[in-house]
């Protein structure tokens, strides 16, 4: 029971409380580069999710056999292997999406988020916890990618996952699918998260002082 | 505009690695708070990019035509090792240069702009010279962007009227957005004339 | 003698102040803009006026909304929000849907200024941030120029619903810059001078803009080095190109009097907040803009480059300021100690 | 949690020998290599087919009434049928109808557009020296503006019957000559870029193509030679 | 531009406030009648305070030494009147602080005459000359109250070629130097010759702003052919009188930062100082009074007055017709460098060149807005500093950067920047905060 609870905690941490993008601000390059539509965000998110999960499992399984001195190299080899797997699988199964994401799939290797989780979590925790963590972080990253992609797609083309939302007369906000739109949208979303956090902290403080009084 | 010239201008200004491709955001957002450091990081990046272009060309020409599936892994491993070797060589031969640039080298090696350079250059089918010019343009474009960014951030730091909530990553992203918007002015440069 | 001690004020020196204040400076700019604005409205009709008002409304609304409650009067009192909206409005096509103009005003002040900490803290020219945003967001609407027309006819595109496209029903016409860039057609100088051409409402009347500039210079609100530097550089650069190939490249007169060159050089590049502090820096800034304008206009993808040129040099302004510190009296330039 | 700590301590405690380090890396590399080769082999055929299909679709698009194609490479000034990609040589494609009659070439060319390089494939019929179709292989032009060069059917139709001499020009005034195309309003730069890219392709290829009538004949191939492997990556 | 500046005898930058001198520039110097109570603060000059040598109850004569120098950088003090010492203790100063002072009650029935004891200056060695100056309590009357003898104690290796007499009087409203140049021309030239000979200087240059044509003419008329004296008309611009600016205007040389005029072979003295020296050697009168301009829209009868030091500011103002109802502020000194005062009963000091009563018109402050980076302050600063940067950095408390990159310590607080700022930013105040902070940090390090 306790273990279930802990694993669930790890999962929620990654998805929301310590969201890799909105809270830790990691993995920005792949995030911004491919999120000009929700579907691209989803594909990239799933690809990263798969790499993260696979690498976490391997690293966590073999952690005691990997000497400290070469661990980073081993992690990279493991990650690169999974990325290559994803790359080829996508190219075979979904060539259209593979073309869209183009060169950014291989760049998952350089995503600090994944290497960071190997180093900070998978190499120090049990398989079970590592899987929970990978699920959480992967889902958190996926969530960020999809929401950013959705915002940019809704405003940028007036569609979501390809379904038109506003009718034929919609005036698309082209900037949203262009690079500046990526920067600005993410900036505004981060601001929003900061603001939420601040509000929460305020309420927490208030509750704490009220408790103190009682 | 000759082909090499256009490759250079295009990567430097129009398709700036940071502002148009979102590559190298970590150092761009993380290290751009001090002008001096940013500039040196930029120089180190130019250097590593040129080395990367050489490695990529070598691998593409002599290794990967036989084993294309090793592309990703070999890029990473070879670039990282070569940079490491160069780092050691610099440390031995020129401690001043090492102090100026060397400390950044390991930081850059794991960065997506470097890997991106190798992969893009390969996808575009660039040869040796094209690859080198591409690397130079990308590195200098990165330097330009990070130096401008650092100048602005140093200035903004001094504004105490700025709401605390806004400081930090969110704000840096918005500055980058405006800068990226300004760089859009270079779009189409030398393509219509 | 009856001597009652007046309540004496203690304040640190210097006791004297010159008379100019920041709100007065900003109001001077309003006055300087008025003739060109009226001419623009005269040429393009009431619709243009509505576009202008929409921009100002967006700008002022954001300024008001984000100002701390007790300081709202102070924030709006400096007159910069209106000025930002106004200048933005002058750069927009007269048939732009009002909701877009309003959005431009919101972005100009919101992202161009408020976020940075308010007046004086921004690095990019707010009006141009607003315009660059609109141009990148609605590139088609932002490059649909209408010919000057009847005063009372208001294009129906103005009233497009928010988020919806405005259908331009009046006569559209390429701007002089567009015609030059894509068709190599020159526009008569007289039309450029008086503003009887298509374009945005403030970009048209060269003569009145220069008059406004002279007024500002006379009031010491504007650093003459910036317009002189920009225009001088652009003239020299374009003259060289013109001499190389007169058929392909526009001449210096066209370069100066077409498009937003004058509005930008006189009213936007001179925004004190976003231009360098030092004299030498000011020259570098101005020359940089002059070069970039011609570069973008002649070799780039846009018919007009002044906006991007100014924004790019804005980005470089902190660096320019840093490296053009005046030599301190009694010191060598590089004396660090 | 406690077992974790024990494990960590164990990792810290042992000081591995260099041999062990290299060994670990070698094993990792080996395993990784095996996985990669496995996935490569598993997906190879599909990927190759995807690519071939994509190419075929593009070629059929720019060459009307074509049902077969083959790749041609320039060797010592002569066009030869080829199955493998050779370094530094841009291939072109010849299209044939059901009766193996030569219909035209599909020529790839690229050049700077508004945002980035535009890659174009266009159909060229040497008999009357005309462009007979155009398709964009890759571009990063602005959505809603520059992307009309492939999304706007009217623009693409410009290239269905287009003289190449004098060189193609994009005009904004309505085309009136056989070598003119209508530029897209609001995307003049991209339109001009496409015209220039085709001109560039013609500059290179037209003089190198064989005399009309002397085109390479279609060669039936049952099984592609092994050498084609390299192309699929 | 530089050539132009050279021809017009001026320095770069600076500001052009209206000079407002018309109220008093034609008014002959009058003597302020002796009052009742005189307060002589011990520390009214730069350097160590003087040490009192009288006690409560002592009778003193006008011109008698009442305090001796408290060190080398310090001067003697003398009684401005014949009367009786009523105490030595804490007295309120013009800025509201309390300081040690000698209080003297004037003898109502004394005629306040002084005996004349000319001093043979020609036979004095330079050392003796210097000690005479210290004994006479002579300090610079240009504002800083820097002891003259210290300025004249030229270290070995330095040499003075020019004696530069500062008749610029660039502060608005003030006309005391102006009137002295017109009315005491002979004394000025005499004193200048004394100092020139004692310092071994080759030439005397008197720099006068062009808005005092009568002074320029009077001086030129009085100079005998062959005398090594030159009058240099100067552009009317603030702070033309700041000594480094003056040297730049007159000789075209910049005194290096952190150095003194003597490092460029110049000694600078105010007109009033030189006349005080002349009077001392002609009559034996030490520095017990000075010429003060009482002016400003807040006084009814502006005047140039000889004021015995230690007189209360109120008495000076009363003589000029008292303050009008519109007066909002009283300033001791000029309106640019001077301080507004809290207490009208505070005494006049050696350094007080003017008493100005200002109204709302002059003292009203614009609301403070954010800096709009207009560059007016940068264009104004005669030291080519970057005041806008100072203000921004000081607000962000980045004092070290102010000192290291932007040289805040070179600022002389002339006020040009604050004067010219349309956003009403009290830049000088920010600069003072920074300097105070930096000095205290430096103190801590040592
Ligand atoms: C459009 C314009 C151009 C000017 N060009 C010059 C010039 O090239 N050189 C110059 O010395 N003054 C020029 N002036 C006059 C300057 O405004 C004047 O010289 C200046 O204000 C002098 O003050 P400064 O100390 O700031 O240079 C120009 C004025 C205007 C309005
Ligand atoms: C954000 C933005 C994106 C643009 N993208 C393109 C583009 O992809 N291709 C293009 O030819 N023009 C593009 N333009 C327009 C060009 O700058 C130029 O105005 C246009 O090609 C001129 O065509 P016109 O004369 O028909 O209006 C873009 C403009 C903006 C503001
Ligand atoms: C900003 C500033 C303005 C000054 N203005 C005058 C002035 O107008 N007249 C003057 O005699 N001294 C003026 N001074 C003082 C001179 O710099 C210098 O100290 C004085 O002329 C030296 O002579 P003294 O020692 O006889 O007073 C000024 C100083 C500063 C810092
Ligand atoms: C001469 C002058 C020009 C100005 N130009 C602009 C401008 O182009 N755009 C703008 O938003 N504000 C302009 N302003 C107003 C103000 O400086 C600007 O809103 C600040 O950037 C706000 O911090 C100008 C002000 C002056 C005095
Ligand atoms: S470490 Fe790499 S992936 Fe992560 S944010 Fe930085 S640059 Fe992006
Ligand atoms: S992986 Fe590349 S693109 Fe992403 S953050 Fe790192 S450096 Fe940037
Ligand atoms: S004068 Fe005032 S507003 Fe202008 S730059 Fe200086 S401090 Fe800023
Ligand atoms: S900064 Fe201060 S010392 Fe310097 S000129 Fe201005 S007021 Fe004078
Ligand atoms: S000296 Fe100019 S601001 Fe201080």
């Amino acid at each position: 029971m306790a273990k279930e609870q802990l694993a669930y905690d790890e999962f929620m941490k990654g998805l929301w409380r310590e969201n890799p993008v909105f809270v830790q601000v990691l993995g920005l390059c792949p995030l911004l580069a491919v999120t000009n539509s929700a579907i691209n965000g989803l594909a990239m998110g799933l690809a990263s999710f798969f790499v993260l999960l696979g690498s976490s499992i391997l690293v966590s399984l073999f952690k005691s056999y990997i000497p400290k001195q070469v661990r980073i190299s081993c992690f990279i080899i493991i990650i690169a292997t999974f990325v290559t797997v994803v790359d080829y699988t996508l190219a075979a199964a979904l060539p259209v999406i593979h073309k869209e994401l183009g060169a950014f799939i291989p760049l998952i290797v350089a995503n600090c988020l994944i290497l960071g989780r190997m180093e900070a979590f998978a190499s120090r925790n049990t398989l079970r916890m590592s899987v929970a963590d990978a699920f959480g972080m992967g889902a958190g990253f996926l969530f960020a990618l999809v929401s950013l992609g959705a915002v940019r797609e809704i405003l940028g083309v007036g569609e979501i996952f390809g379904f038109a939302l506003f009718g034929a007369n919609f005036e698309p906000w082209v900037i949203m699918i262009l690079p500046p739109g990526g920067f600005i949208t993410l900036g505004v979303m981060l601001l929003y998260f900061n603001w939420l956090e601040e509000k929460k902290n305020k309420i927490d403080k208030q509750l704490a002082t009220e408790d103190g009084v009682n | 505009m000759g082909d090499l010239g256009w490759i250079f201008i295009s990567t430097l200004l129009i398709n700036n690695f940071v502002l148009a491709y979102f590559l190298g955001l970590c150092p761009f957002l993380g290290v751009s708070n001090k002008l001096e450091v940013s500039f040196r990081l930029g120089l180190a990046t130019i250097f590593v990019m040129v080395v990367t272009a050489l490695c990529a060309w070598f691998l593409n020409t002599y290794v990967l035509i036989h084993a294309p599936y090793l592309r990703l892994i070999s890029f990473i491993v070879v670039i990282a090792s070569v940079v490491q070797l160069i780092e050691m060589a610099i440390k031995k031969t020129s401690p001043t240069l090492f102090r100026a640039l060397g400390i950044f080298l390991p930081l850059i090696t794991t960065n997506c702009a470097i890997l991106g350079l190798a992969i893009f250059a390969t996808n575009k089918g660039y040869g040796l010279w094209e690859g080198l010019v591409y690397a130079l343009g990308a590195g200098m474009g990165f330097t330009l962007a990070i130096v401008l960014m650092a100048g602005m951030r140093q200035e903004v730091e001094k504004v105490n009227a700025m709401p605390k909530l806004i400081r930090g990553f969110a704000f840096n992203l918005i500055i980058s957005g405006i800068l990226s918007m300004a760089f859009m002015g270079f779009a189409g440069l030398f393509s219509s004339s | 003698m009856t001597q009652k001690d007046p309540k004496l004020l203690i304040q640190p020196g210097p006791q004297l102040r010159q008379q100019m204040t920041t709100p007065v400076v900003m109001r001077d700019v309003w006055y300087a803009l008025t003739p060109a604005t009226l001419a623009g409205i005269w040429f393009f009709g009431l619709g243009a006026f509505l576009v202008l008002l929409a921009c100002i409304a967006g700008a002022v609304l954001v300024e008001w909304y984000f100002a701390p409650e007790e300081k709202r009067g102070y924030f709006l009192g400096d007159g910069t929000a209106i000025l930002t909206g106004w200048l933005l409005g002058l750069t927009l096509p007269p048939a732009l849907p009002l909701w877009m103009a309003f959005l431009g005003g919101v972005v100009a002040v919101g992202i161009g200024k408020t976020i940075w900490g308010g007046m004086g803290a921004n690095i990019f020219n707010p009006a141009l941030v607003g315009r660059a945003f609109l141009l990148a967001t609605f590139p088609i609407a932002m490059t649909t120029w209408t010919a000057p027309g009847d005063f009372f006819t208001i294009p129906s595109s103005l009233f497009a619903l928010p988020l919806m496209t405005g259908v331009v029903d009046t006569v559209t016409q390429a701007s002089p810059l567009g015609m030059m860039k894509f068709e190599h057609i020159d526009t008569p100088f007289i039309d450029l001078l008086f503003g009887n051409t298509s374009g945005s409402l403030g970009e048209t009347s060269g003569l009145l803009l220069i008059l406004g500039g002279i007024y500002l210079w006379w009031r010491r609100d504007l650093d003459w080095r910036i317009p002189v530097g920009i225009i001088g550089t652009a003239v020299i650069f374009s003259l060289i190109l013109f001499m190389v190939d007169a058929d392909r490249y526009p001449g210096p007169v066209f370069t100066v009097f077409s498009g937003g060159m004058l509005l930008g050089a006189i009213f936007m590049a001179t925004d004190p907040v976003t231009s360098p502090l030092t004299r030498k820096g000011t020259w570098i800034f101005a020359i940089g803009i002059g070069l970039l304008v011609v570069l973008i206009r002649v070799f780039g993808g846009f018919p007009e480059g002044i906006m991007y040129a100014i924004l790019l040099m804005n980005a470089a302004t902190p660096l320019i300021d840093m490296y053009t510190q005046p030599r301190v009296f009694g010191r060598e330039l590089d004396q660090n100690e | 949690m406690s077992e974790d700590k024990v494990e960590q301590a164990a990792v810290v405690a042992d000081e591995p020998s260099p041999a062990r380090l290299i060994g670990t890396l070698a094993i990792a590399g080996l395993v990784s290599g095996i996985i990669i080769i496995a996935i490569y082999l598993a997906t190879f055929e599909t990927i190759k087919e995807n690519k071939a299909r994509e190419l075929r679709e593009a070629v059929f698009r720019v060459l009307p009434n074509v049902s077969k194609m083959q790749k041609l490479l320039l060797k010592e000034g002569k066009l030869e049928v080829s199955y493998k990609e050779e370094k530094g040589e841009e291939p072109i494609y010849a299209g044939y109808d059901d009766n193996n009659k030569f219909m035209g070439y599909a020529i790839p060319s690229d050049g700077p557009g508004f945002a980035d390089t535009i890659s174009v494939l266009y159909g060229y019929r040497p008999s009357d020296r005309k462009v007979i179709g155009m398709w964009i292989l890759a571009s990063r032009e602005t959505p809603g503006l520059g992307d009309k060069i492939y999304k706007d059917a009217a623009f693409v139709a410009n290239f269905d019957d287009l003289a190449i001499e004098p060189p193609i020009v994009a005009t904004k005034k309505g085309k009136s000559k056989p070598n003119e195309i209508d530029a897209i309003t609001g995307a003049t730069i991209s339109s001009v870029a496409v015209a220039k890219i085709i001109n560039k392709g013609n500059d290179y290829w037209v003089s190198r193509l064989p005399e009309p009538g002397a085109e390479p004949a279609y060669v039936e191939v049952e099984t592609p030679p092994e050498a084609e492997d390299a192309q699929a990556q | 531009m530089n050539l132009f500046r050279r021809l017009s005898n001026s320095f770069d930058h600076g500001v052009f406030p209206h000079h407002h001198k018309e109220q008093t520039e034609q008014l002959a110097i009058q003597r302020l009648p002796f009052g009742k109570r005189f307060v002589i603060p011990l520390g009214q000059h730069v350097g160590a305070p003087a040490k009192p040598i009288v006690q409560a109850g002592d009778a003193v004569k006008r011109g008698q030494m009442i305090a001796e120098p408290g060190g080398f950088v310090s001067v003697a003090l003398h009684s401005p009147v014949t009367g009786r010492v009523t105490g030595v203790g804490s007295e309120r100063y013009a800025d509201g602080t309390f300081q040690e002072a000698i209080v003297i009650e004037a003898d109502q029935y004394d005629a306040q005459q002084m005996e004349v004891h000319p001093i043979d200056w020609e036979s004095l060695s330079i050392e003796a000359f210097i000690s005479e100056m210290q004994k006479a309590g002579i300090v610079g009357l240009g504002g800083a109250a820097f002891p003259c003898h210290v300025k004249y104690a030229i270290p070995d290796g330095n040499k003075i070629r020019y004696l530069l007499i500062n008749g610029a009087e660039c502060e608005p409203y003030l006309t005391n130097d102006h009137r002295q140049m017109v009315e005491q021309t002979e004394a000025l030239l005499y004193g200048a010759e004394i100092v020139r000979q004692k310092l071994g200087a080759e030439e005397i240059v008197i720099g006068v702003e062009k808005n005092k044509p009568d002074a320029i003419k009077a001086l030129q008329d009085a100079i005998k052919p062959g005398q090594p004296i030159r009058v240099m008309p100067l552009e009317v611009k603030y702070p033309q009188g700041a000594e480094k600016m003056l040297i730049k205007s007159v000789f075209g040389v910049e005194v290096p930062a952190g150095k003194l005029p003597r490092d460029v072979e110049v000694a600078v003295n105010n007109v009033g100082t030189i006349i005080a020296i002349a009077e001392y050697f002609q009559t034996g009168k030490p520095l017990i009074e000075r010429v003060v301009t009482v002016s400003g829209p807040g006084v009814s009868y502006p005047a140039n007055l000889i004021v015995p030091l230690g007189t209360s500011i109120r008495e000076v103002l009363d003589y000029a017709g008292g303050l009008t109802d519109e007066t909002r502020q009283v300033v001791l000194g000029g309106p640019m460098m001077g301080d507004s005062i809290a207490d009208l009963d505070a005494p006049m000091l050696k350094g007080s060149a003017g008493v100005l009563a200002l109204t709302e018109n002059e003292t009203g402050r614009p609301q403070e807005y954010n800096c709009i980076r207009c560059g007016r302050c940068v264009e104004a600063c005669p030291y080519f500093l970057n005041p806008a940067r100072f203000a921004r950095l000081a607000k962000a408390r980045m004092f070290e950067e102010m000192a290291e990159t932007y040289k805040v310590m070179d600022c002389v607080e002339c006020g040009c920047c604050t004067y010219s700022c349309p956003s009403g930013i009290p830049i000088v105040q920010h600069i003072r905060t920074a300097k105070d902070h930096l000095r205290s940090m430096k103190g801590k390090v040592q």
Side-chain angles (χ1 to χ4, degrees), chain E residues 140-143 151 166 169-171 177 238-239 241-243 268-270 273 337 412 414:
Chain E
L141 299 183
K151 197 183 277 188
N166 188 346
E169 199 162 52
C170 60
E171 281 269 12
D177 289 348
Y238 180 84
E243 63 190 8
V268 186
N269 267 120
N270 172 253
T273 318
M337 296 281 286
V412 303
C414 69

Side-chain angles (χ1 to χ4, degrees), chain C residues 19-50:
Chain C
Q19 291 306 301
M20 191 56 84
T21 67
T22 293
V24 172
V25 173
M26 298 305 161
R27 284 190 181 63
D28 276 348
V29 186
W30 298 1
Y31 305 145
L33 280 174
T34 304
T37 309
L38 289 178
I41 295 172
W42 174 252
F43 284 129
F44 291 106
L46 282 177
F49 185 55
L50 292 182

Side-chain angles (χ1 to χ4, degrees), chain C residues 253-302:
Chain C
V253 173
F254 182 85
T255 302
V256 171
F257 283 92
S258 60
M261 186 70 172
L262 287 169
L263 183 70
I266 296 173
F267 288 95
M268 307 190 114
T270 52
D271 174 6
V273 172
T274 55
S275 58
L277 266 175
T278 61
R279 262 191 210 184
K280 213 194 312 166
T282 303
W283 282 118
I284 296 175
F285 178 78
I287 292 171
I289 292 178
L291 289 176
L292 283 170
V293 175
V294 180
L295 182 80
I296 293 175
R297 276 189 178 184
V298 174
F299 300 106
F302 296 91

